[in-house]
Amino acid sequence: MGKFLVDGRHCLSGRVRINGAKNSALKLMVAALLGHGTFEVKNVPHITDVETMTGVLQALGVGVRFDSGTMQLKVSEVQGHTPEALVKSMRASVQVMGPLLARLGRVEVARPGGCNIGSRPLDIHMTSFEKMGATIDVEGDKFVARAPRLHGADITFRYPSVGATENIMMAATMARGETVIRNAACEPEIVDIQDFLNGMGAQVKGAGTPVITIQGVPELGATDFSVIPDRIEAGTYLLAFLVTGGNGTLENVVPEHMTPLLEIVSSMGAEVSVHERTITVSSPSKMNAFRLITGPYPGFPTDLQPQMVALATLAHGTSEVEEAVFDQRFGYTRELAKLGALIEPNTSTVAIHGPATLAGANLVAGDLRGGAALVLAALAADGHSAIEGLEHIDRGYEAMEHRLRSLGAKVVRVEE
Ligand code: UD1
């Protein structure tokens, strides 16, 4: 995988076109398992998580072609044995359970892996499948779910889990009768999946609100679709402008999906101007410290928390960041400290004292968004940094070094 070599303190400017959302594209790919026919999905990012999901779908019998951001999926018969190694390498693969259970009545999935950001139980998924008539057994390292035909149910989530909302939505599209999900996650990616499923002939409504209602239908077809822009990738590039004191424009974004980030960077002194599909940001001469707490949408996205901590190292005063979605999402702060960041970690909060004078160091990314935070901090640091662990960054950022270079950053990937 190699490493990034970063020469810091070059001011970024220009325009960057944001890709389709990883967290939508992966789920749309999975949703296709419910259908029949040929799908054409545009605006799919070229990232390794999409490659992994391609491997999962191919193993299940789906034909996949992917070229220049457009993915063609051909679905006829599918089978229910998911490839263990691929599933273990990516948590989103647990999402195949809903569609395969609905379609085949039986599915075996290895316990999934994913980012190293804390314990990630699946109880909400599993208890909800049970409410829909499934039996779930844990056999060794696998979940085995069985349900001759799922039935609708009225389900209240104890927490608005994104993955569980999607899994149950997908399972319910072909269940007998009506399913209601209460306390559902409201993320924009859930609306995208609703639109995709309805394009296939499903009857889903309410996505984007806490109550989603699904009327089961006997079968689903195919659809053409374009994935929504990735609000996390967009946020990361917006912060890349700010950490280098630069200014620039994000193209192909949905600004209202990014409100919590735009509010915070505005309060820090950045100038933000929003148009229909673009956001332009300019750095202030001095950034103010801030407080934030992550939360389910429309709260501040946990997937931008590490990148915000990187920015906080440059703000004047003490910033406080509380992580309220995952229980161990501050591992990357140890690496930021190697650059000279002044960060006091507690269990679920960190205090960041700024502005710190950052100086280049050798860093190792341990998870996807923590890795992005290291890149941002290295762009802001004096001198040279090396960042290993690119397999994490590549999971969610397409050609990050090329895109940063096109904005004026000095970043190269060297293979080892
Ligand atoms: C998705 C996103 C991830 C993002 C997260 C929160 C994808 C591929 N990943 O992950 O990038 O950070 O949403 O916005 O879309 N939980 C339980 N029991 C469950 C399910 C979840 O306790 O059955 C807990 C988790 O441990 C976590 C919290 O709920 O603390 C949020 O998890 P969830 O919303 O399910 O996130 P993911 O779908 O895994």
Side-chain angles (χ1 to χ4, degrees):
M1 278 293 159
K3 57 184 169 190
F4 281 162
L5 298 181
V6 181
D7 181 22
R9 290 184 66 82
H10 293 277
C11 191
L12 266 57
S13 65
R15 302 174 81 83
V16 57
R17 191 184 153 75
I18 300 306
N19 286 308
K22 158 184 165 300
N23 287 351
S24 179
L26 293 173
K27 319 302 174 63
L28 303 183
M29 290 173 74
V30 166
L33 287 167
L34 286 157
H36 292 88
T38 302
F39 298 72
E40 193 174 89
V41 187
K42 293 200 165 74
N43 212 25
V44 176
H46 196 164
I47 51 178
T48 56
D49 267 7
V50 164
E51 285 171 15
T52 306
M53 188 60 88
T54 297
V56 172
L57 292 191
Q58 285 171 332
L60 294 171
V62 177
V64 186
R65 276 179 41 196
F66 185 33
D67 188 23
S68 312
T70 297
M71 181 170 280
Q72 198 184 68
L73 299 164
K74 283 199 171 154
V75 188
S76 49
E77 296 306 307
V78 299
Q79 59 92 15
H81 292 278
T82 55
E84 188 175 328
L86 291 176
V87 170
K88 283 194 159 162
S89 71
M90 185 178 60
R91 183 177 164 89
S93 33
V94 75
Q95 305 297 140
V96 302
M97 281 189 87
L100 291 181
L101 195 53
R103 180 164 179 156
L104 303 172
R106 186 178 195 284
V107 56
E108 281 184 21
V109 184
R111 279 170 190 267
C115 259
N116 181 22
I117 55 176
S119 65
R120 292 177 79 171
L122 292 168
D123 59 297
I124 305 172
H125 302 242
M126 301 306 162
T127 54
S128 304
F129 287 138
E130 283 170 350
K131 285 191 184 130
M132 298 176 74
T135 56
I136 314 274
D137 296 302
V138 179
E139 294 178 10
D141 213 12
K142 279 187 191 150
F143 292 109
V144 182
R146 298 177 184 86
R149 171 110 198 248
L150 291 169
H151 57 72
D154 194 323
I155 302 167
T156 301
F157 285 173
R158 68 169 174 78
Y159 183 89
S161 155
V162 172
T165 301
E166 295 161 342
N167 225 342
I168 302 312
M169 252 168 91
M170 291 190 283
T173 54
M174 295 217 299
R176 194 163 11 95
E178 180 180 274
T179 300
V180 182
I181 308 173
R182 300 179 197 277
N183 198 24
C186 300
E187 270 67 2
E189 292 76 17
I190 307 234
V191 180
D192 223 28
I193 290 159
Q194 167 178 280
D195 294 346
F196 186 79
L197 289 168
N198 287 345
M200 293 166 67
Q203 292 185 19
V204 186
K205 60 180 196 223
T209 78
V211 182
I212 300 177
T213 308
I214 307 109
Q215 299 290 343
V217 297
E219 67 171 24
L220 294 170
T223 188
D224 293 342
F225 202 77
S226 183
V227 180
I228 52 165
D230 194 314
R231 62 200 165 96
I232 306 302
E233 188 195 46
T236 305
Y237 284 103
L238 185 147
L239 296 175
F241 289 122
L242 294 182
V243 291
T244 62
N247 55 72
T249 298
L250 312 170
E251 296 175 346
N252 187 38
V253 288
V254 181
E256 59 266 32
H257 292 169
M258 299 180 61
T259 303
L261 175 68
L262 300 184
E263 281 176 358
I264 289 203
V265 297
S266 300
S267 78
M268 295 175 74
E271 204 174 294
V272 176
S273 74
V274 167
H275 297 281
E276 206 180 319
R277 298 284 285 185
T278 63
I279 297 173
T280 299
V281 64
S282 306
S283 296
S285 50
K286 178 181 163 193
M287 280 185 290
N288 308 317
F290 61 89
R291 294 177 78 160
L292 77 75
I293 171 164
T294 63
Y297 192 86
F300 191 92
T302 172
D303 287 352
L304 284 174
Q305 176 262 101
Q307 301 90 316
M308 277 308 288
V309 169
L311 182 66
T313 63
L314 306 170
H316 288 249
T318 296
S319 299
E320 278 180 22
V321 173
E322 179 173 347
E323 174 55 58
V325 178
F326 291 108
D327 56 6
Q328 285 170 38
R329 203 166 194 180
F330 289 126
Y332 67 90
T333 58
R334 282 189 301 275
E335 299 297 299
L336 287 184
K338 293 183 185 165
L339 295 164
L342 303 170
I343 302 181
E344 271 175 63
N346 281 302
T347 322
S348 64
T349 59
V350 288
I352 308 106
H353 307 290
T357 306
L358 303 182
N362 293 333
L363 308 172
V364 183
D367 68 270
L368 166 57
R369 306 302 174 185
L374 301 186
V375 173
L376 296 184
L379 290 173
D382 249 331
H384 297 279
S385 297
I387 303 173
E388 290 177 41
L390 299 190
E391 66 277 17
H392 297 290
I393 294 173
D394 290 339
R395 285 186 43 216
Y397 293 94
E398 177 177 323
M400 192 183 218
E401 72 279 25
H402 293 286
R403 308 184 77 213
L404 287 171
R405 272 208 305 275
S406 76
L407 300 170
K410 306 282 182 223
V411 187
V412 290
R413 181 186 295 250
V414 292
E415 302 298 335
E416 283 171 319

